């Protein structure tokens, strides 16, 4: 079990011939991920790490039954890659690429919704399910271990730190995914919380947030409203960070007075979510919550 | 990337949104002749890329050309909110009857653009948003349907306008949306958008922020990037580093924005003060690391440099090499505390230890050490 | 009965304050059409011919329960007017305006389909149902009469000629509509034939085609395929007309060798459709077909 | 509106589609120096807005600058398919390896744009379409989804391309689509699109037809409208009339395109030959009617003028007044047969009958009379 990816996940790597694409294909294969194809327009017919490379995602789906895609193509071509995956019928798309124009992201997410597909990212480290040995992402393999904690994070390396701590105390992870570091992403905390709620393997959920946006505030509201049935532990980075670029008055108008570490932490606390002071406290709190 | 007010106003004009008669000047003499040309009382507005310049003395009226000369002499070259005033926009003083608000921006949680408008324009718009949200009409744009002129009319109608105003105001809102799309903007805003005594609408202020990630599609702005940043921040961005100046004395260099912020928070938790935010991103090579360290060492306030690397794509040996090169090139001697784990950890550790630099494995330990060091 | 418009039709006139809009509002009212509102942005609150004028179609729908729109606004603003009507929930939109860019028309028709709405036109004389005294269009009132013939036409004045002949022999019309003179229109012959098929009042169908496009050929194919249960009489104008502007090779490729009066007439004949030599023969053929 | 080949090629270039090295010239001297500049064998292509110019002698090769001069002297000023050659495009002769086809146009029955491509380019593409339709790949564009680069790759992949060609060809197709959208085109076509000996793709020919109804959005072309039409047709269009020259001797003026064609067909049925197609549209005023009649009277072939008006929006009295004014202004005496019914029929009839012109009520009668008249 776990969420979004599992043993039936068959991955096509879009941009497999690039530096990052080929490097991480190797690491994903090592982890156990079923990489069934790669794409690179104009390089169809070759192989990389023993994986067949096609010109189009359509071929990867038809010939190799790929159902999940991970995208490494440069930002300028990412929108096209995502739309191609959607068109080919891919239902889970992990977008590693950073620097995608927000207009492109917005369009892709809307079209994904129309196709009932899930976009993870952009600018995400991806998703990993240690129990089923599936990693569709770029996180360091050894920091994750079989387990029961669901992690959703807006961060990359910070997530690895936290996952590692959780691995060290023996809880491990059911699924860990990065929502992506961009302002607009395919998944938010609430949607992931919903999925973890129904996942039998997940015993507790960790949310790693940061300043900016109101995803944390909405997650807090959700936890409270549905009386979330599993322990939720949150950490919010950026108490000492400068406020992000201010989006004129409009930013303040659409979000209200939210978006600082303080408003997020307060919202979590008010909703009964345990808030960790430091990333290293998360593991300690989990121990507390799950003892007995 | 923030555009200057005058750049934003040029774009507004191109899209049919009236703006005040005005001219950009860089000398008091030009300010004087601009005022003369305009032929009535003017306002001198410092062209700096920061919000809140009005309250900081960046906007001043002048009733005649001579006064414009005097005021321009004082404003030009002065520092406002840390930024030097290089140019002024000399504009006719408008005979304002009413102040409105209109903008288009990105709604993160709705994952769409959102169009906002209100009859309560001006500096207090945020307070209006909080206290009387019903006075602000908002419409989220369906990304697959788009935003049509009639949508703009719906908004303006809801604000209570009819007749000619309905048409004029909604045309302006539609233009703001078109600008947002055509320029890949994250924000296009007019506050205040004013009605003047002859009944027409004028964008008294204009703001455009272009989505940095989309700048590759807008080469016309590539030359003038980074103007909105301080010197060190601009230098960092030139190397693709994400940097923000802060007031503490512990310089930080971290891979990953989240980890960087968490590191800063830890410094604070343990009683120290970070001197900056610096995210080197993923997979940085030695050359980039070197530039990052050099930027930290260039800041006199920095008493100690704290490097926190969790190597995934980033290789610890590259980091180690970058650090040493920076030290060699600058010759600056400051205490250096390094936490290094992950990909090629052993190689990196060896390089640094060979150079006499102590390497930590645990973040908390490293941060504690950094705080202890600055405390003497 | 009849198709598309009937006694429940409540019309909003978009562009009611313009020369054409106000002129034809008067004629439609005279004919018996229930015009319940007009729109003209910035002129809301006034009245024209006793009809309330609103700034938006939304108001016309909410306050006057309009369910059908007729559009007279200039070509440059027509797309916006159509989209506004769709957004307001209008399900039948008659677009009189001519000269609308084809790109706009294509977009509007696609969006109408999404909303399950029908666009008649653009560049149409509209639709008239003499039996229920509803005219949403600009055709001369006196040329139409109560009756049993369904007419679908790509033409304007030629339709009036034909309708008049049919009126003179006493058959009258169940519904007569102009598909519109533009290359791309919201309705085609096949769709109208489908509707007339199920309309009890319609005893025979007249199709008035012209050169260009392949709408007539497709109609012929349809009549043959479904063994159309009612007599169909066709006339095709343009046997002596010069071929229209040639759309490069592409035009020939997408349509094949069709589009001339000859191909259309042959297609109709092959499908068992009676083809009139002149517009004035249509009435004679109908008499023949419906005698007894 | 049809664009000249060189205009279309300029647009192609702007969108990154390679076109042959070339220059537009209007004198033999310039043709010679263009050929010299190009420095290898050239092709001289007459810039006229009509299809099939190749077979009509409008395209000629020249192996050196002198020959280019000679050929240009003959071509410039000559008539091809009734249009005068005012300029030539002097282009490098390409070293063609293969000819392909690519276009975007409007698919009327699908109510969408359609993208077409084939490996069988060249003048016989229509035959290919008929005999081996599978050799032409077509993709209808969902108007709400749009056309993405990957769609272009799907098309080119289906044509059997891989490797670098896949990328190059699909980039060209994507650009053709973008041109179609940006210029409101009804057709953007390259036939042949060729592969040359170095393996690159070049648009050997380029055609763009802009949707006339969208010209108001493309003011850059408004100056040069009507160039694709003959003199009378252009004059008609300047007055908003739709006119096409034909070879018969019965001039027709009708309201409505369908009725106009039906009238012409009737003329033929009764043994006559129409001299033209002329639709005055709906609601034409006397002034416009006058211009229409004047155009008919200006054509020497026209032995009789047949006016067929079914007044709906068009008012019969306006028609009558327009006819009389045209006769007065030109002073030309030709038999005039008028059929007039509908709005203000009585008034119109009276005006004409007072001037001694017989007015018919029945179309068939009027047409018979016209045919009888020309037969003498």
């Amino acid at each position: 079990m776990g969420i979004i990816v599992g043993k039936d996940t068959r991955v096509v790597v879009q941009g497999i011939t690039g530096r990052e694409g080929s490097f991480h294909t190797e690491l994903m294969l090592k982890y156990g991920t079923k990489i069934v194809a790669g794409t690179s327009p104009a390089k169809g017919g070759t192989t990389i790490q023993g994986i067949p490379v096609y010109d189009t995602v359509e071929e990867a789906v038809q010939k190799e039954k790929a159902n999940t895609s991970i995208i490494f193509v440069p930002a300028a071509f990412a929108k096209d890659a995502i739309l191609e995956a959607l068109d080919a019928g891919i239902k889970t798309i992990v977008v590693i690429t950073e620097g995608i124009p927000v207009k492109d992201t917005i369009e892709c997410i809307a079209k994904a919704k129309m196709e009932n597909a899930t976009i993870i990212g952009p600018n995400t480290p991806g998703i990993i399910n240690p129990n089923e040995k599936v990693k569709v992402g770029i996180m360091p393999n050894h920091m994750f271990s079989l387990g029961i904690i669901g992690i959703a994070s807006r961060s990359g390396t910070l997530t690895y730190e936290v996952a590692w701590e959780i691995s060290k105390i023996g809880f491990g992870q059911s699924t860990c995914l990065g929502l992506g570091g961009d302002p607009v992403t395919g998944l938010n905390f609430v949607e992931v919380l919903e999925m973890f709620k129904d996942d039998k393997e997940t015993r507790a959920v960790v949310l790693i947030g940061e300043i900016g946006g109101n995803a944390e505030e909405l997650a807090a509201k959700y936890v409270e409203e549905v009386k979330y049935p599993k322990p939720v532990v949150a950490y919010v980075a950026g108490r000492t960070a400068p406020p992000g670029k201010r989006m004129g008055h409009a930013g303040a108008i659409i979000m209200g007075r939210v978006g600082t570490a303080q408003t997020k932490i307060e919202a979590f606390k008010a909703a009964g979510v345990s808030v960790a002071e430091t990333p290293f406290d998360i593991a300690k709190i989990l121990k507390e919550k799950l003892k007995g | 990337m923030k555009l200057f007010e005058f750049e934003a106003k040029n774009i507004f004009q191109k899209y049919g949104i009236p703006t005040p008669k005005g001219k950009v000047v860089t000398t008091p003499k030009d300010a004087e002749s601009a005022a003369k040309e305009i032929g009535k009382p003017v306002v001198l507005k410092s062209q700096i890329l920061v919000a809140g310049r009005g309250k900081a003395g960046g906007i001043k009226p002048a009733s005649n050309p001579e006064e414009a000369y005097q005021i321009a002499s004082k404003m030009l070259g002065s520092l406002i909110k840390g930024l030097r005033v290089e140019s002024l926009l000399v504009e006719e003083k408008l005979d304002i009857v009413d102040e409105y608000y209109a903008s288009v921006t990105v709604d993160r949680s709705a994952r769409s653009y959102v169009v906002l408008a209100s009859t309560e324009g001006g500096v207090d718009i945020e307070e209006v948003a909080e206290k009387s949200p019903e006075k602000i009409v908002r419409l989220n744009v369906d990304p697959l349907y788009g935003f049509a002129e009639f949508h703009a009319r719906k908004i303006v109608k809801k604000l209570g306008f009819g007749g000619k105003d309905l048409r004029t105001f909604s045309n302006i809102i539609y233009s703001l949306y078109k600008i947002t799309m055509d320029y890949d903007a994250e924000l296009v805003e007019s506050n205040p958008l004013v009605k003047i005594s002859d009944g027409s609408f004028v964008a008294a202020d204009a703001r455009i922020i272009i989505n940095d990630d989309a700048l590759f599609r807008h080469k016309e702005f590539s030359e003038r990037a980074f103007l909105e940043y301080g010197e060190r921040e601009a230098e960092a961005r030139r190397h693709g580093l994400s940097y923000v100046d802060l007031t503490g004395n512990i310089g930080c260099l971290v891979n990953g924005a989240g980890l960087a912020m968490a590191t800063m928070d830890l410094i604070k938790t343990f009683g120290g003060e970070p001197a900056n935010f610096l995210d080197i991103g993923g997979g940085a090579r030695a050359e980039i690391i070197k530039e990052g360290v050099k930027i930290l060492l260039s800041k006199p306030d920095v008493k100690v440099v704290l490097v926190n690397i969790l190597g995934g794509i980033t290789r610890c040996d590259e980091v180690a090499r970058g650090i040493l090169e920076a030290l060699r090139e600058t010759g600056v001697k400051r205490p250096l505390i390094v936490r290094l784990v992950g990909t090629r950890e052993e190689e990196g550790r060896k390089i640094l230890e060979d150079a006499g630099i102590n390497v930590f494995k645990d973040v908390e330990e490293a941060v504690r050490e950094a705080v202890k060091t600055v405390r003497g």
Side-chain angles (χ1 to χ4, degrees), chain A, chain B:
Chain A
M1 284 295 289
I3 65 169
I4 305 176
V5 296
K7 57 185 188 311
D8 298 329
T9 296
R10 298 173 66 83
V11 177
V12 51
V13 179
Q14 288 181 259
I16 196 171
T17 55
R19 201 172 77 103
E20 297 285 305
S22 64
F23 178 64
H24 285 289
T25 295
E26 189 181 347
L27 294 181
M28 285 188 277
L29 283 170
K30 268 192 191 148
Y31 193 75
T33 311
K34 282 186 204 117
I35 310 259
V36 298
T39 64
S40 179
K43 293 199 182 138
T46 59
T47 64
I48 285 233
Q49 323 269 7
I51 304 297
V53 177
Y54 295 100
D55 288 322
T56 65
V57 179
E58 198 174 37
E59 292 167 281
V61 169
Q62 283 167 2
K63 297 188 185 155
E64 311 294 346
K65 301 194 173 52
N67 56 22
T68 300
S69 145
I70 181 166
I71 291 181
F72 288 99
V73 306
F77 309 106
K79 175 178 130 182
D80 189 57
I82 297 169
L83 297 182
E84 184 185 356
L86 288 171
D87 180 74
I90 297 282
K91 294 298 176 202
T92 301
I93 302 173
V94 177
V95 187
I96 305 298
T97 309
E98 50 181 313
I100 300 176
V102 67
K103 188 165 78 173
D104 294 3
T105 300
I106 286 173
E107 181 185 336
C108 288
I109 292 173
K111 286 182 173 169
K113 201 159 284 177
M114 207 168 67
E115 309 275 1
N116 284 316
T118 301
I119 289 179
I120 302 178
N123 192 10
T124 176
I127 181 167
I128 187 167
N129 177 335
N131 297 322
E132 308 202 344
K133 290 279 162 236
V134 183
K135 180 180 83 166
V136 188
I138 60 170
M139 48 280 271
N141 296 353
H142 69 279
M143 289 180 166
F144 297 83
S145 60
L146 310 190
I148 55 165
I149 308 297
I151 305 178
S153 171
R154 286 176 61 192
S155 166
T157 43
L158 178 57
T159 318
Y160 313 156
E161 294 276 9
V162 172
W164 200 5
E165 294 291 319
I166 292 170
S167 293
K168 284 196 266 180
I169 60 167
F171 281 167
Q173 302 82 29
S174 58
T175 305
C176 171
L177 79 162
L179 303 178
D182 285 2
V184 175
T185 56
L187 284 179
N188 61 27
F189 284 128
V190 171
E191 290 156 343
V192 177
L193 279 167
E194 274 172 356
M195 292 189 248
F196 277 135
K197 185 153 77 81
D198 301 330
D199 177 47
K200 288 196 190 111
E201 219 151 54
T202 302
R203 298 266 311 278
V205 180
V206 170
L207 305 179
I208 304 172
E210 57 186 49
I211 52 166
N214 62 347
E216 293 79 3
E217 286 87 345
L218 294 174
K221 204 172 143 216
Y222 168 79
V223 166
E224 194 169 18
E225 277 174 6
V226 303
K227 297 189 174 58
Y228 202 74
K230 302 178 183 186
V232 179
V233 182
Y235 170 74
V236 180
R239 274 176 298 136
T240 53
K245 187 169 55 179
R246 238 186 116 217
M247 280 302 165
H249 298 281
I253 293 172
I254 58 168
M255 304 222 310
R257 293 196 189 283
V258 299
T260 67
Q262 212 43 49
T263 60
K264 291 169 192 303
I265 289 168
E266 276 163 19
F268 276 134
K269 284 186 176 164
V273 171
S274 312
V275 178
E277 265 290 296
T278 78
F280 310 95
D281 290 344
I282 293 173
K284 292 172 206 158
I285 297 174
L286 283 173
K287 243 184 191 162
E288 189 94 350
K289 295 272 170 191
L290 294 178
K291 76 180 168 205
Chain B
M1 188 179 84
K2 291 175 185 162
L3 298 194
F4 286 109
E5 179 191 7
F6 72 88
E7 293 175 306
K9 283 185 169 166
N10 285 344
I11 293 172
F12 274 33
Q13 268 170 38
K14 213 173 97 185
Y15 282 75
I17 304 175
T19 58
K21 209 183 297 173
K23 201 164 185 181
V24 183
V25 301
T26 54
T27 68
K29 198 83 203 121
D30 286 351
E32 186 181 9
S33 41
K36 206 172 285 167
E37 201 179 301
I38 291 167
K40 55 181 199 162
V42 295
V43 180
L44 287 85
K45 305 168 93 177
S46 55
Q47 298 300 290
I48 49 170
L49 296 168
V50 70
R53 72 196 154 144
K55 284 179 182 165
I59 301 179
K60 295 226 163 103
S63 49
N64 55 57
E66 296 69 40
E67 203 183 336
Y69 183 94
Q70 298 304 332
I71 292 171
S73 311
K74 279 179 213 141
M75 284 174 90
L76 282 165
S78 71
L79 281 178
I80 292 179
K81 294 197 150 197
L83 291 172
R84 193 162 306 281
V85 179
E86 312 265 9
S87 61
L88 300 174
L89 177 58
V90 182
E91 265 185 359
E92 62 172 323
K93 193 164 184 300
L94 296 169
D95 190 5
I96 297 173
V97 172
D98 219 337
E99 295 193 327
Y100 310 128
Y101 174 87
S103 70
V104 182
T105 190
V106 173
D107 185 343
R108 300 162 73 133
S109 51
R111 295 154 181 147
S112 71
Y113 291 91
V114 61
V115 182
L116 302 166
S118 175
T119 51
E120 311 282 312
V123 288
D124 298 329
I125 184 71
E126 289 172 34
E127 208 178 303
V128 173
E130 206 174 1
K131 296 196 179 141
S132 341
E134 77 286 353
K135 285 191 176 154
I136 294 175
V137 175
R138 53 186 289 172
L139 190 144
N140 281 87
V141 180
D142 178 337
L144 301 184
Y145 194 95
F147 184 82
E149 279 120 315
F150 81 84
H151 284 121
R153 287 199 301 276
K154 268 172 102 160
I155 290 170
V156 177
K157 182 85 194 160
K158 269 197 198 135
L159 288 177
F161 288 90
K164 196 162 149 282
D165 289 353
L166 169 59
R167 212 184 272 262
T168 314
F169 198 166
S170 57
N171 282 345
I172 289 172
I173 286 181
Y174 186 66
S175 294
L176 294 180
Y177 178 78
K178 278 203 294 188
I179 293 169
T180 307
M181 291 300 107
D182 293 353
Y183 285 87
D184 268 303
E186 290 176 342
L187 173 77
V188 177
E189 185 174 67
S190 181
N191 186 35
L193 170 72
V194 305
K195 187 190 252 190
I196 57 175
S197 47
D198 70 359
S200 67
F201 284 60
V202 179
D205 196 7
R207 300 193 65 193
I208 295 179
I209 302 178
I210 299 189
N211 180 206
D212 286 335
D213 289 335
L215 280 173
F216 69 88
R217 295 200 279 236
H218 303 277
K219 302 270 194 263
E220 67 270 35
F221 299 115
S222 55
E223 276 178 30
R224 47 136 305 187
F226 312 134
L227 281 183
E228 69 208 78
Y229 301 107
E231 207 177 296
R232 257 186 302 275
E233 205 168 335
E235 173 67 11
R237 285 182 177 260
R238 250 172 246 125
H239 294 102
L241 299 168
S242 184
Y243 178 95
V244 183
D245 253 328
L246 292 171
T247 53
N249 51 15
I250 301 179
C252 325
L253 180 148
V254 189
N255 67 326
L259 187 56
M261 287 192 282
T263 306
M264 291 153 62
D265 292 347
L266 270 180
I267 290 172
K268 184 91 172 176
T269 302
F270 295 154
E273 285 290 345
N276 67 284
F277 166 91
L278 172 53
D279 169 20
I280 60 165
R285 300 296 182 90
E287 173 67 19
I288 296 298
I289 312 276
K290 182 188 80 182
E291 297 298 338
V293 176
K294 277 168 71 179
I295 287 165
L296 294 187
L297 291 175
S298 76
K299 194 173 172 181
D301 292 350
V302 169
K303 296 272 177 288
V304 57
V305 170
L306 170 64
V307 175
N308 180 11
I309 300 295
L310 189 157
I313 321 178
T314 308
R315 288 161 45 165
C316 293
D317 54 344
E318 291 277 341
V319 173
R321 265 193 295 276
I323 291 172
L324 293 187
E325 274 174 49
L327 294 180
R328 192 160 45 237
E329 278 191 24
T330 59
V332 177
K333 296 257 177 294
R334 300 263 173 83
L336 191 72
I337 288 150
V338 182
R339 183 261 184 151
L340 210 56
V341 294
T343 313
R344 300 229 184 207
E345 178 178 332
E346 287 317 308
E347 292 87 333
R349 175 186 298 272
K350 191 167 180 311
I351 293 169
L352 291 175
E353 285 178 349
D354 285 355
I357 296 168
N358 193 14
V359 177
F360 290 80
K361 217 177 156 76
D362 185 82
V363 183
E364 289 180 299
E365 253 179 65
V367 173
R368 267 185 227 282
E369 181 64 24
V371 174
K372 213 178 77 186
T373 306
V374 292
R375 289 216 173 136

CSV table of all heavy atoms in Angstrom, one decimal, chain B residues 162-175:
chain,number,residue,atom,x,y,z
B,162,GLY,N,-22.4,51.3,-13.8
B,162,GLY,CA,-23.2,51.2,-14.9
B,162,GLY,C,-22.8,52.3,-15.9
B,162,GLY,O,-21.8,53.0,-15.7
B,163,GLY,N,-23.5,52.4,-17.0
B,163,GLY,CA,-23.2,53.4,-18.0
B,163,GLY,C,-21.8,53.4,-18.5
B,163,GLY,O,-21.2,52.3,-18.7
B,164,LYS,N,-21.3,54.5,-18.9
B,164,LYS,CA,-20.0,54.6,-19.5
B,164,LYS,C,-18.9,54.0,-18.6
B,164,LYS,O,-17.9,53.4,-19.1
B,164,LYS,CB,-19.7,56.1,-19.8
B,164,LYS,CG,-18.5,56.3,-20.8
B,164,LYS,CD,-18.6,57.7,-21.4
B,164,LYS,CE,-17.2,58.2,-21.7
B,164,LYS,NZ,-16.4,58.7,-20.5
B,165,ASP,N,-19.0,54.3,-17.3
B,165,ASP,CA,-18.0,53.7,-16.4
B,165,ASP,C,-17.9,52.2,-16.5
B,165,ASP,O,-16.8,51.7,-16.3
B,165,ASP,CB,-18.3,54.1,-14.9
B,165,ASP,CG,-18.2,55.6,-14.6
B,165,ASP,OD1,-17.6,56.3,-15.5
B,165,ASP,OD2,-18.5,56.0,-13.5
B,166,LEU,N,-19.0,51.6,-16.6
B,166,LEU,CA,-19.0,50.1,-16.7
B,166,LEU,C,-18.1,49.7,-17.9
B,166,LEU,O,-17.2,48.8,-17.7
B,166,LEU,CB,-20.4,49.6,-17.0
B,166,LEU,CG,-20.6,48.1,-17.4
B,166,LEU,CD1,-20.0,47.2,-16.3
B,166,LEU,CD2,-22.1,47.8,-17.6
B,167,ARG,N,-18.2,50.3,-19.0
B,167,ARG,CA,-17.5,50.0,-20.2
B,167,ARG,C,-16.0,50.3,-20.0
B,167,ARG,O,-15.1,49.5,-20.2
B,167,ARG,CB,-18.0,50.8,-21.4
B,167,ARG,CG,-17.9,50.1,-22.7
B,167,ARG,CD,-18.4,51.0,-23.8
B,167,ARG,NE,-19.8,50.9,-24.0
B,167,ARG,CZ,-20.4,50.2,-25.0
B,167,ARG,NH1,-19.6,49.5,-25.8
B,167,ARG,NH2,-21.7,50.1,-25.1
B,168,THR,N,-15.7,51.5,-19.5
B,168,THR,CA,-14.3,52.0,-19.3
B,168,THR,C,-13.6,51.1,-18.3
B,168,THR,O,-12.5,50.6,-18.6
B,168,THR,CB,-14.3,53.4,-18.8
B,168,THR,OG1,-15.2,54.2,-19.6
B,168,THR,CG2,-12.9,54.0,-19.0
B,169,PHE,N,-14.2,50.9,-17.2
B,169,PHE,CA,-13.5,50.1,-16.1
B,169,PHE,C,-13.3,48.7,-16.6
B,169,PHE,O,-12.2,48.1,-16.4
B,169,PHE,CB,-14.4,50.2,-14.8
B,169,PHE,CG,-13.6,49.9,-13.6
B,169,PHE,CD1,-14.2,50.2,-12.3
B,169,PHE,CD2,-12.4,49.2,-13.6
B,169,PHE,CE1,-13.5,49.9,-11.1
B,169,PHE,CE2,-11.7,48.9,-12.4
B,169,PHE,CZ,-12.3,49.2,-11.2
B,170,SER,N,-14.3,48.1,-17.2
B,170,SER,CA,-14.1,46.7,-17.6
B,170,SER,C,-13.1,46.6,-18.7
B,170,SER,O,-12.4,45.6,-18.8
B,170,SER,CB,-15.5,46.1,-17.9
B,170,SER,OG,-16.1,46.7,-19.0
B,171,ASN,N,-13.0,47.6,-19.6
B,171,ASN,CA,-12.0,47.5,-20.6
B,171,ASN,C,-10.6,47.5,-20.0
B,171,ASN,O,-9.7,46.8,-20.4
B,171,ASN,CB,-12.1,48.7,-21.6
B,171,ASN,CG,-13.2,48.5,-22.6
B,171,ASN,OD1,-13.7,47.4,-22.8
B,171,ASN,ND2,-13.5,49.6,-23.3
B,172,ILE,N,-10.4,48.3,-18.9
B,172,ILE,CA,-9.2,48.4,-18.2
B,172,ILE,C,-8.8,47.0,-17.6
B,172,ILE,O,-7.7,46.5,-17.7
B,172,ILE,CB,-9.2,49.5,-17.2
B,172,ILE,CG1,-9.1,50.9,-17.9
B,172,ILE,CG2,-8.0,49.4,-16.2
B,172,ILE,CD1,-9.3,52.1,-17.0
B,173,ILE,N,-9.8,46.4,-16.9
B,173,ILE,CA,-9.6,45.1,-16.3
B,173,ILE,C,-9.2,44.1,-17.3
B,173,ILE,O,-8.3,43.3,-17.1
B,173,ILE,CB,-10.8,44.7,-15.5
B,173,ILE,CG1,-10.9,45.6,-14.2
B,173,ILE,CG2,-10.8,43.3,-15.1
B,173,ILE,CD1,-12.1,45.3,-13.3
B,174,TYR,N,-9.9,44.1,-18.4
B,174,TYR,CA,-9.6,43.2,-19.5
B,174,TYR,C,-8.2,43.3,-20.0
B,174,TYR,O,-7.4,42.4,-20.2
B,174,TYR,CB,-10.6,43.3,-20.6
B,174,TYR,CG,-10.4,42.2,-21.7
B,174,TYR,CD1,-10.6,40.9,-21.4
B,174,TYR,CD2,-9.9,42.5,-23.0
B,174,TYR,CE1,-10.4,39.9,-22.3
B,174,TYR,CE2,-9.8,41.5,-23.9
B,174,TYR,CZ,-10.0,40.2,-23.6
B,174,TYR,OH,-9.8,39.2,-24.5
B,175,SER,N,-7.8,44.6,-20.1
B,175,SER,CA,-6.4,44.9,-20.5
B,175,SER,C,-5.4,44.4,-19.5
B,175,SER,O,-4.3,43.9,-19.8
B,175,SER,CB,-6.2,46.4,-20.8
B,175,SER,OG,-7.0,46.8,-21.9
